[in-house]
Amino acid sequence: MDTIATTFSFALSVTAPIFLTLLVGYGLARVKLLSESFVDDASRLVFLVTLPALLFFNIFGSDARLGDEWPLLLAGLIGTVLTVPLAWLAARSLAHGDRSAFIQGAFRGNLGIIGLAWAANAYGASGLAQAALLMAVITIFYNIAAVALFAVYSQKAKFSWIKLGKDILRNPLIVAIVLALLAKSVGLRLPEMIVQTGDYLASVTLPLALLCIGASLDLSMLRRSSFGAFAASGFKLLVVPVILVGVGLLFGLHGQGLAILFLLAAAPTASASFIMARALGGNSQLAANIIAISTLFSVVTASLGLALLKVYLP
């Protein structure tokens, strides 16, 4: 019994601080201490500067090597690829205009902030480095899947593969990860003052980003949520982690690697799904509801899932 209690305590220590920080951001926005313009500027700063710094210096200073992580990366990619057609099948019963929002919400996770934060809380620098590599691979697929959704559902615009390629190559998160891997491969040594500056920038990333996500939440939308919103959230928080963990077991993952795969799979729906739903001409209200619901309940599902992994698949 003590072992079970300790395991659940560990799981909550990973997820609860992240959730509480989101609630702090939500509360600060409600009392007008975080303005919409500040959240927009801070989110842009995180995406363009501090999160790339976090990824670069964490991977550069860690023992994680791309060649050693291929089972984790392949399991994450294959598992994510499998979730998309399943989400598409689950969306078949919905109105045509709701399907793109449902599919995006059902498979596209918030890896860059909440997934990384959970990994860092659970396993420190080594977990963060593994999660960053996995995030890069899955993010590239997310963009490809988004283009496929545009091709099927968009009535507003046409997207080209050339533009997709440029967007991926210019994504600051992917660029930072690639540069870190290249720097490690050539044995680059950076001056200590550069490393310390990078650490300063990196240290503000997760708290600032979590506050911004919390400030952007509109929990009042929960009252207007439909069955589709709860179904997509359930798919994201329950089905996606089960699929990815199953694929991870087939690739022989265990311990920290399997837990990192689970934590990124269990992350709530990404805010980008709302932006994509609007661009697709889909139901942006549904997309917003999915984000709110999945974020709210992810602390429960991720905590329970991580505890079960620690007990049954240590």
Side-chain angles (χ1 to χ4, degrees):
M1 184 64 103
D2 288 342
T3 301
I4 295 175
T6 301
T7 300
F8 275 97
S9 178
F10 165 75
L12 279 176
S13 73
V14 172
T15 58
I18 308 306
F19 182 72
L20 291 175
T21 306
L22 293 176
L23 289 183
V24 170
Y26 177 80
L28 292 176
R30 300 291 81 75
V31 299
K32 310 300 182 184
L33 285 179
L34 289 181
S35 66
E36 186 175 344
S37 61
F38 173 84
V39 171
D40 289 341
D41 291 341
S43 298
R44 182 174 173 82
L45 176 67
V46 166
F47 181 70
L48 294 177
V49 179
T50 67
L51 185 53
L54 172 72
L55 297 174
F56 178 89
F57 287 99
N58 189 267
I59 293 174
F60 181 76
S62 77
D63 295 327
R65 297 186 180 277
L66 189 62
D68 298 333
E69 302 296 343
W70 69 264
L72 172 64
L73 303 184
L74 275 179
L77 177 60
I78 293 172
T80 305
V81 169
L82 291 176
T83 64
V84 176
L86 292 177
W88 178 78
L89 287 173
R92 294 281 291 177
S93 62
L94 300 177
H96 189 275
D98 293 346
R99 292 178 189 174
S100 62
F102 181 99
I103 296 170
Q104 284 273 324
F107 82 85
R108 188 166 194 159
N110 191 330
L111 310 182
I113 303 300
I114 295 181
L116 290 182
W118 282 347
N121 262 13
Y123 298 105
S126 64
L128 185 56
Q130 285 182 304
L133 295 175
L134 180 58
M135 183 200 73
V137 172
I138 295 178
T139 298
I140 292 173
F141 173 73
Y142 279 171
N143 283 277
I144 294 173
V147 170
L149 283 177
F150 267 105
V152 175
Y153 294 111
S154 179
Q155 299 175 356
K156 288 188 174 183
K158 294 182 179 180
F159 276 69
S160 70
W161 291 101
I162 294 177
K163 183 180 184 302
L164 170 66
K166 290 180 179 179
D167 288 344
I168 291 173
L169 291 175
R170 290 184 300 203
N171 185 308
L173 310 185
I174 295 174
V175 169
I177 292 170
V178 171
L179 289 178
L181 292 172
L182 290 175
K184 283 173 67 74
S185 68
V186 301
L188 181 67
R189 296 180 65 86
L190 293 176
E192 182 60 29
M193 67 178 70
I194 299 296
V195 174
Q196 191 169 4
T197 301
D199 289 340
Y200 285 156
L201 291 171
S203 65
V204 306
T205 300
L206 296 178
L208 183 59
L210 290 169
L211 289 174
C212 290
I213 292 174
S216 301
L217 286 176
D218 185 358
L219 298 184
S220 66
M221 290 181 177
L222 295 178
R223 295 193 297 268
R224 304 190 296 272
S225 296
S226 63
F227 171 78
F230 282 99
S233 300
F235 189 100
K236 180 67 193 74
L237 298 179
L238 300 174
V239 177
V240 171
V242 167
I243 291 174
L244 267 75
V245 167
V247 176
L249 290 173
L250 292 177
F251 276 85
L253 292 178
H254 58 87
Q256 179 174 320
L258 188 63
I260 293 296
L261 180 63
F262 166 77
L263 288 172
L264 264 65
T269 301
S271 300
S273 64
F274 172 77
I275 299 170
M276 190 62 64
R278 291 180 64 180
L280 286 167
N283 188 337
S284 58
Q285 178 70 57
L286 173 61
N289 290 345
I290 295 169
I291 294 168
I293 293 170
S294 63
T295 301
L296 183 63
F297 288 103
S298 63
V299 65
V300 177
T301 55
S303 298
L304 289 174
L306 184 60
L308 290 172
L309 282 184
K310 294 285 286 185
V311 171
Y312 296 106
L313 296 169

